[in-house]
Amino acid sequence: MQDKNTEKQTELQNADRRKFMGKSALLGAGAVAAPMTAAMFTSMAKAQAAEAGKNSPFVHPGELDEYYGFWSGGHSGEVRILGIPSMRELMRIPVFNIDSATGWGITNESKRIRGEGDHFLAGDAHHPHMSMTDGRYNGKYVFINDKANTRVARIRCDVMKTDKILTIPNAQAIHGLRVQKVPYTKYIFCNGEFEIPLNNDGKESLEDVSTYRSLFNVIDAETLEMAFQVMVDGNLDNAEADFDGKYFAASSYNSEMGTNLGEMITSERDHIVFFDLARCEAALKAGNFKTYNGNEVPVLDGRKGSALTRYVPVPKSPHGINISPDGKYFVANGKLSPTVSIIDTSKLDDLFNDKIKPRDTVIAEPELGLGPLHTAFDNRGNAYTTLFLDSQIAKWNIEDAIAHSQGQKVNYLRQKLDVHYQPGHNHTSQGETRDADGKWLVALSKFSKDRYLPVGPLRPENDQLIDISGDVMKLVHDGPTYAEPHDCVLVHRSKLKPSKVWTRDDSFFAETVAMAKRDGVTLETDNKVIRDGNKVRVYMTSIAPNFGLNEFKVKLGDEVTVVVTNLDQVEDVTHGFCMTNHGVQMEISPQATASVTFIANQPGVQWYYCNWFCHALHMEMRGRMLVEA
Ligand code: K7E
Ligand code: CUA
């Protein structure tokens, strides 16, 4: 067994696509008897070339994109906004990272939001998902997980800034994250991927893993506080919600609870865990929970045999779990199996009422190719599954796959399209909502290899845009991106109404406004220096091309807080504040207040300047701080 596992691992680690294709049989996928051969696909593709999509990927200068794409920035820790179909990067939203341009992690406002995790300079963002009402994007929030430091953050879509970050207790490495779709996003939920002792206090051992658990974490979307956690058997990977407001689902690739690779991939089947939301809420209300690690978060017991959960066995180390936009089917992606498992959502009530067995919910297991990771959907009954090892997207028809499994002679595979290379997630325009429109598909390819000019040993990844509006998928754009777009969502622009300037009563800087009030300062009019022991607060306005204060004095060793209020009303006239030689800079957008605190530890004259280009006299927008020895 060990040898076989090592062999599988070698295959997984080998990134060369050609080798994979040649040795595919070694992957344990024995019979990769795809219903159509490559040659058949080629001739079909030629015959149907006329039926390729007619979407135009060209967004001419001055034109606007049709969709906002929210991209995870992976281990850069940020979220990015792309325009689709142009694939232009429109904005970066710092979340778990430190950002030199905006001062994220430097300003007092961002430090408050970063909270107890402020000392972390890194993060690993995976799954951005927008809040919904009745299964449709509502344009309010985007949520994102931090696998590295077990956190979840929320981005406000009116100002496109992170406004809350929660550290999840009792769990480790938050991975899959999704939102409740129906009736609205009351909860978001996410998975603790790594199994740890429930009371993780250093008294446990590396040998005895019997107390190790993974937790399913349910968070109140509005307060971004923990609602409850559910203890499960096996670990948890990705997650998904139904369109009925009843069930959440999570995949488990390590049902074995192994602690090394060999142990983790021994079982032929792992499972999808389903969570009954009403039963979880009832258990919570009835007080049927325990707490751990000295915190108050209720932990429900959802291990096998519990009324709260059901475990549906599926092959093999499944990864993504995705629901079709008509709400009928969950698709579990086999990863180490060349199949996906189609789970009929209409059977879940019977499953939870013990009228049927878990496997009875799996109505088809179509074979697609090697390494299925994630599936996306159009509005015409088709699914698009990434094949990591084959470096392809498989387009297949769900009803035909079900008919095929019932013995009918139908081809459910519609097309396999080469992507470059090794795709992880893919996502269709609005495809995780009722508004799936079948226009665009983005494949997030983990390797770019030969697709771009070489830039040294570290290469960009490759986000590819595919037109799926016709019968034939058509690759229309290569987009290099920096580490690492695990996932993205494509939201029609009609769903979003971002603010053009800040409003003065915004909660983002409310605490700074309150501090000014305590100092008797009116931020919109006053330019003042207030001394409070060895703390000095410097209040100034900015209006292009001037700071309200041209100079101020402090004493060596003072703790200086500079508060800048941007009085400009004009869209896009953002100022910056940089104190030279202090590692201090920040952005102050129109009508915003921002503040930064530093120690004046160098005697003499220090210039401060505006570092966001704002005016023809931007270079002259500067002033002096004298630090008196
Ligand atoms: Cu990269 Cu969704 Cu974190 Cu799959 S996950 S590939
Ligand atoms: Cu103000 Cu540049």
Side-chain angles (χ1 to χ4, degrees), residues 245-310:
K246 286 156 102 175
Y247 304 113
F248 296 153
S251 59
S252 167
Y253 66 79
N254 183 20
S255 62
E256 302 90 339
M257 295 296 267
T259 55
N260 61 53
L261 177 83
E263 289 171 9
M264 288 184 201
I265 61 174
T266 37
S267 299
E268 282 307 313
R269 279 180 182 165
D270 296 277
H271 53 247
I272 303 297
V273 195
F274 286 94
F275 300 84
D276 183 316
L277 179 54
R279 288 186 188 180
C280 287
E281 286 185 317
L284 192 65
K285 217 171 166 189
N288 294 331
F289 58 80
K290 290 188 177 152
T291 60
Y292 299 91
N293 296 304
N295 63 65
E296 290 179 353
V297 178
V299 180
L300 310 175
D301 190 344
R303 287 177 293 171
K304 285 178 181 164
S306 151
L308 310 179
T309 53
R310 290 294 181 269

Side-chain angles (χ1 to χ4, degrees), residues 126-127 175 238 319 373-374 424-425 446 486:
H126 282 232
H127 299 110
H175 188 231
N238 277 293
H319 186 55
L373 288 187
H374 295 278
H425 276 268
K446 303 284 190 192
H486 278 277

Side-chain angles (χ1 to χ4, degrees), residues 187-358:
Y187 296 122
I188 59 167
F189 49 94
C190 55
N191 294 328
E193 181 181 344
F194 298 161
E195 319 79 356
I196 49 167
L198 246 180
N199 275 313
N200 203 15
D201 52 8
K203 294 186 189 120
E204 306 288 329
S205 75
L206 290 177
E207 289 74 34
D208 176 15
V209 298
S210 62
T211 61
Y212 286 27
R213 301 280 177 266
S214 274
L215 296 182
F216 182 73
N217 308 284
V218 182
I219 300 163
D220 184 298
E222 206 52 51
T223 61
L224 210 73
E225 284 169 8
M226 291 302 305
F228 58 89
Q229 295 175 306
V230 188
M231 179 199 312
V232 297
D233 281 315
N235 83 329
L236 295 173
D237 189 9
N238 277 293
E240 180 61 293
D242 69 2
F243 279 95
D244 299 303
K246 286 156 102 175
Y247 304 113
F248 296 153
S251 59
S252 167
Y253 66 79
N254 183 20
S255 62
E256 302 90 339
M257 295 296 267
T259 55
N260 61 53
L261 177 83
E263 289 171 9
M264 288 184 201
I265 61 174
T266 37
S267 299
E268 282 307 313
R269 279 180 182 165
D270 296 277
H271 53 247
I272 303 297
V273 195
F274 286 94
F275 300 84
D276 183 316
L277 179 54
R279 288 186 188 180
C280 287
E281 286 185 317
L284 192 65
K285 217 171 166 189
N288 294 331
F289 58 80
K290 290 188 177 152
T291 60
Y292 299 91
N293 296 304
N295 63 65
E296 290 179 353
V297 178
V299 180
L300 310 175
D301 190 344
R303 287 177 293 171
K304 285 178 181 164
S306 151
L308 310 179
T309 53
R310 290 294 181 269
Y311 291 72
V312 175
V314 295
K316 174 183 183 175
S317 299
H319 186 55
I321 170 94
N322 306 91
I323 194 168
S324 57
D326 58 10
K328 286 182 172 170
Y329 309 111
F330 281 104
V331 173
N333 299 265
K335 192 167 78 182
L336 299 187
S337 161
T339 58
V340 293
S341 304
I342 305 179
I343 296 169
D344 185 342
T345 58
S346 73
K347 294 184 187 279
L348 291 175
D349 287 355
D350 281 352
L351 174 63
F352 270 89
N353 291 323
D354 298 320
K355 290 185 182 152
I356 56 171
K357 297 216 168 63

Side-chain angles (χ1 to χ4, degrees), residues 542-547 568 573-576 609-615 617-619 621:
S542 69
I543 188 156
N546 286 296
F547 286 119
D568 273 300
V573 180
T574 289
H575 297 289
Y609 69 99
C610 172
N611 54 2
W612 279 81
F613 205 103
C614 56
H615 192 273
L617 296 172
H618 160 78
M619 304 304 291
M621 187 167 173

